[in-house]
Amino acid sequence: MDIVLTLVVNPGFKADLEKAAQAVLAALDNGNTQSNTLKTLHDGRAVDIVQSASTLEDMRSIIAPVMSTHETVDWCLQPDTQTRRKSMLIADMDSTMITVECIDELADFVGMKEKVSVITEAAMRGELDFEGALKERVALLAGLPVEDLETCYQQRINMMPGARQLVQTMKTNGAFTALVSGGFTFFTERVAAAIGFDDTRANVLEIDNNALTGRVKEPICGAQTKLEALNEYCATQSLTAQQVLAVGDGANDIPMLKAAGLGVAYHAKPKTAAATHAAVRNADLTALLYFQGYSFTEFAPD
């Protein structure tokens, strides 16, 4: 079978990319591969190395030890098939499509950011039950005026580098895109509109007299909901899970990431990175385009 290894680096790390590619090619010459070819996707930023091997795991056993010594280089190993370019993107929002955790920023408006951030971090590492942790944090926001949510969005929410290019490039090539978040609809609706997602799902904050009540409406959008959303979107779009690219950073993303044909942990918690097909530790979200075989010349405008 043909297998493709994609190597990606940040601008300015061309030498690191070249060293990693040379090390991989040297290792493959001594491994159980039949042939290999190198293709540049973006000069100094990304390359594909395609080779034949008996199984993906045989290839991983050769590649993983090599790449462990090239920490500035992100990599993805996958079968080189017709479904490499995915027909659906399903993405987490907080710390994935945007640079912050919305609930932590909201907590700052009531002087609770430090306390809430500790809970958020533990939940994203998978150390706390997500639903319980969400309810505990939302309770601390009771009385927060809705106008502060708008202030938070305008002043503190920034899109993750590469987010819009990722979504727009995939949409230009016919993909369906969905933002599925354990955060809140107030933010997902705005972020989805700004980036260009086709649909969005998230939790709904309960509001009374133009202020938060400290409760979130049921059902909670957590790990199982994200997995269910992936399956539902596949059904409505007449796609298989193999045609899906999923991306996220927290433990509540793991079922969704594992179900997708390509699940990518993005600047993720260790538990999440260990559970996925690939992990982006250095690059921005355009790495997910390189992983699908897009060259830089095919990217949509930023």
Side-chain angles (χ1 to χ4, degrees):
M1 65 184 299
D2 285 339
I3 297 172
V4 58
L5 170 69
T6 308
L7 306 179
V8 181
V9 295
N10 280 322
F13 287 83
K14 181 178 182 178
D16 291 11
L17 177 65
E18 292 174 346
K19 289 178 182 177
Q22 291 168 4
V24 166
L25 291 171
L28 293 178
D29 284 341
N30 296 320
N32 61 344
T33 59
Q34 300 166 15
S35 63
N36 59 69
T37 59
L38 186 146
K39 175 185 178 182
T40 298
L41 300 174
H42 186 178
D43 186 38
R45 292 287 309 279
V47 298
D48 271 351
I49 298 174
V50 181
Q51 62 282 314
S52 298
S54 53
T55 69
L56 186 66
E57 288 313 308
D58 284 345
M59 187 59 54
R60 190 176 297 277
S61 69
I62 299 171
I63 299 301
V66 175
M67 293 310 303
S68 68
T69 64
H70 297 272
E71 296 183 352
T72 61
V73 183
D74 293 317
W75 60 283
C76 177
L77 189 70
Q78 59 188 314
D80 191 19
T81 65
Q82 290 183 341
T83 60
R84 182 184 177 192
R85 288 197 177 187
K86 302 306 181 186
S87 299
M88 182 195 303
L89 169 67
I90 184 166
D92 175 46
M93 181 180 71
D94 296 81
S95 298
T96 301
M97 286 292 139
I98 62 174
T99 60
V100 297
E101 295 284 336
C102 289
I103 195 165
D104 294 358
E105 299 307 313
L106 289 178
D108 199 21
F109 285 75
V110 294
M112 290 286 184
K113 184 174 183 177
E114 183 175 352
K115 180 176 182 177
V116 168
S117 296
V118 170
I119 301 171
T120 300
E121 180 69 16
M124 292 301 98
R125 289 197 304 262
E127 298 168 0
L128 297 174
D129 170 68
F130 178 80
E131 183 171 329
L134 180 66
K135 290 180 178 179
E136 179 183 359
R137 288 173 290 164
V138 171
L140 297 172
L141 303 179
L144 182 68
V146 171
E147 63 184 25
D148 285 346
L149 274 68
E150 184 63 35
T151 299
C152 181
Y153 177 76
Q154 295 295 336
Q155 297 183 359
R156 304 195 180 196
I157 306 305
N158 295 302
M159 306 305 151
M160 192 69 74
R164 184 168 173 81
Q165 274 192 303
L166 169 63
V167 171
Q168 292 299 323
T169 300
M170 291 188 67
K171 287 182 65 174
T172 297
N173 286 273
F176 173 82
T177 59
L179 186 65
V180 180
S181 172
F184 310 117
T185 55
F186 183 93
F187 296 100
T188 57
E189 290 169 357
R190 288 160 172 77
V191 170
I195 296 176
F197 281 94
D198 295 306
D199 198 17
T200 179
R201 297 188 188 185
N203 291 300
V204 181
L205 289 166
E206 187 178 271
I207 296 171
D208 185 44
N209 291 325
N210 210 36
L212 302 189
T213 66
R215 294 184 293 273
V216 60
K217 293 184 179 180
E218 301 284 349
I220 300 296
C221 184
Q224 185 60 30
T225 309
K226 291 189 175 194
L227 176 59
E228 291 170 357
L230 184 151
N231 292 328
E232 290 173 15
Y233 286 132
C234 281
T236 58
Q237 298 297 315
S238 299
L239 300 172
T240 66
Q242 188 60 38
Q243 295 171 279
V244 178
L245 166 63
V247 60
D249 72 302
N252 62 323
D253 295 311
I254 291 176
M256 173 183 79
L257 297 175
K258 292 180 73 172
L262 178 59
V264 180
Y266 183 76
H267 295 212
K269 306 300 181 285
K271 184 176 181 179
T272 309
T276 52
H277 307 110
V280 175
R281 296 180 171 87
N282 306 292
D284 65 26
L285 285 167
T286 59
L288 277 64
L289 292 172
Y290 296 126
F291 287 174
Q292 295 177 79
Y294 286 98
S295 64
F296 179 67
T297 57
E298 297 176 280
F299 285 13
D302 192 1

